[in-house]
Amino acid sequence: MSRIKDALQKARLERPETEAGLPSQPKPPVAGFPHARVINYSEPSVVQHKILTYPFVDNDLNERFRLLRTKIVSATQQTDDRTFLITSTQNQEGKTFTAINLAITFAREVDHKVLLVDINVKNPSVLKYLGIDEQPGLLDCLHDNVPLSDMLICPGIERLLLLPLGCGRLKSAELLRSRKTCEVLQEMKRRNPDLYIILDGPALTDGVDAIVLSDFIDQTLFVVEHGVVKHNKLAAAVGHLSKDKILGAVFNKRVG
């Protein structure tokens, strides 16, 4: 527990810097989450990973994610579905790219807050894509009973919160597959009726994690790298999930 407190205190004391080495102005905490820490994203990192926030600009990509957001809202507007797992058949199909850009698009265009959760034990990538160093997160919350509100990060994008996976020494899939994870997610949803929760999850070929996690959330969005995964392999992967929880598929075409 003291290790986590020390890490949190260090993060609060460190002031983010701009490229010129000058202190930047931290964004105010997201309303309703006063304990969220401000750790601004790295501009070179978002450009490198094609994340739709300043200074990266791609109008066509932006429109594609706006259309995806519109379709999701339309498909779920008659329900209270607000927790979404992003998964795929195998790794390197664009899960993290899709999860982050979808979360940013939701945060920009709806009158809601968005929580992006990194829940991929074997390859946590959300913080890496945003250029933020490893931070305490969900695993610390589950293992040490640290309040989840203390684990949240404001990355400098309005109405967007991050919940990192957490400490490397605690990377246990058993923790994430426990009912406690389900309880944490459901409690976050229940206590915050204006919050969308997007989970950047593991691939189905990485084991049973994605299958178990799909039972904890409302809907699953499947990312498919166009022209890479064979139809029979994709069908077999989707067959592991409950049909009533599959929201749809996103075909991702790798560029660069």
Side-chain angles (χ1 to χ4, degrees):
M1 182 71 76
S2 61
R3 171 189 58 81
I4 299 172
K5 290 182 178 179
D6 291 344
L8 293 174
Q9 181 63 19
K10 179 181 178 181
R12 291 190 179 103
L13 291 175
E14 289 178 346
R15 297 182 66 185
E17 296 184 348
T18 64
E19 288 298 296
L22 300 174
S24 62
Q25 292 298 320
K27 300 276 185 178
V30 176
F33 295 93
H35 299 291
R37 294 169 291 127
V38 177
I39 305 179
N40 290 335
Y41 65 83
S42 160
E43 293 183 3
S45 189
V46 299
V47 172
Q48 176 187 351
H49 295 289
K50 298 180 173 62
I51 303 303
L52 290 168
T53 191
Y54 178 84
F56 178 69
V57 177
D58 186 320
N59 292 331
D60 180 63
L61 185 63
N62 183 57
E63 286 303 311
R64 289 175 183 272
F65 274 96
R66 289 182 64 189
L67 178 60
L68 177 59
R69 181 206 67 85
T70 299
K71 289 183 175 181
I72 292 174
V73 171
S74 176
T76 60
Q77 63 183 350
Q78 301 301 322
T79 70
D80 190 36
D81 292 349
R82 290 182 284 110
T83 59
F84 305 100
L85 174 67
I86 312 297
T87 187
S88 62
T89 302
Q90 59 192 29
N91 288 305
Q92 305 301 317
E93 291 193 74
K95 287 191 286 61
T96 301
F97 164 81
T98 300
I100 297 176
N101 280 326
L102 183 60
I104 290 173
T105 304
F106 263 91
R108 281 177 177 168
E109 299 197 23
V110 296
D111 190 21
H112 289 75
K113 298 185 288 289
V114 181
L115 174 63
L116 175 60
V117 183
D118 194 332
I119 203 162
N120 188 349
V121 172
K122 292 187 177 180
N123 187 29
S125 301
V126 170
L127 294 187
K128 179 178 70 175
Y129 273 46
L130 294 172
I132 298 174
D133 293 335
E134 184 177 274
Q135 302 291 324
L138 178 59
L139 289 176
D140 302 277
C141 172
L142 298 173
H143 186 271
D144 295 321
N145 292 317
V146 179
L148 187 145
S149 58
D150 288 347
M151 302 292 103
L152 300 179
I153 292 172
C154 299
I157 300 169
E158 190 174 2
R159 293 190 296 276
L160 177 64
L161 288 162
L162 305 180
L163 176 59
L165 179 67
C167 179
R169 73 176 181 85
L170 298 175
K171 286 179 181 175
S172 165
E174 288 75 17
L175 273 175
L176 291 183
R177 293 197 296 263
S178 69
R179 297 305 301 178
K180 190 171 182 180
T181 299
C182 181
E183 292 168 2
V184 166
L185 293 173
Q186 290 179 348
E187 179 68 6
M188 285 290 290
K189 178 183 174 182
R190 185 187 67 79
R191 294 184 61 181
N192 301 276
D194 62 344
L195 180 71
Y196 278 98
I197 302 175
I198 297 175
L199 286 73
D200 181 24
L204 284 164
T205 52
D206 276 348
V208 301
D209 292 2
I211 300 172
V212 174
L213 290 169
S214 69
D215 289 334
F216 297 168
I217 49 79
D218 296 321
Q219 296 286 345
T220 299
L221 192 65
F222 218 80
V223 177
V224 182
E225 186 176 358
H226 183 67
V228 173
V229 178
K230 301 298 184 183
H231 179 76
N232 60 341
K233 190 174 183 179
L234 171 61
V238 172
H240 290 298
L241 304 175
S242 299
K243 291 182 180 179
D244 61 345
K245 284 196 171 186
I246 299 177
L247 184 61
V250 175
F251 288 90
N252 178 49
K253 183 176 181 180
R254 185 180 300 180
V255 179

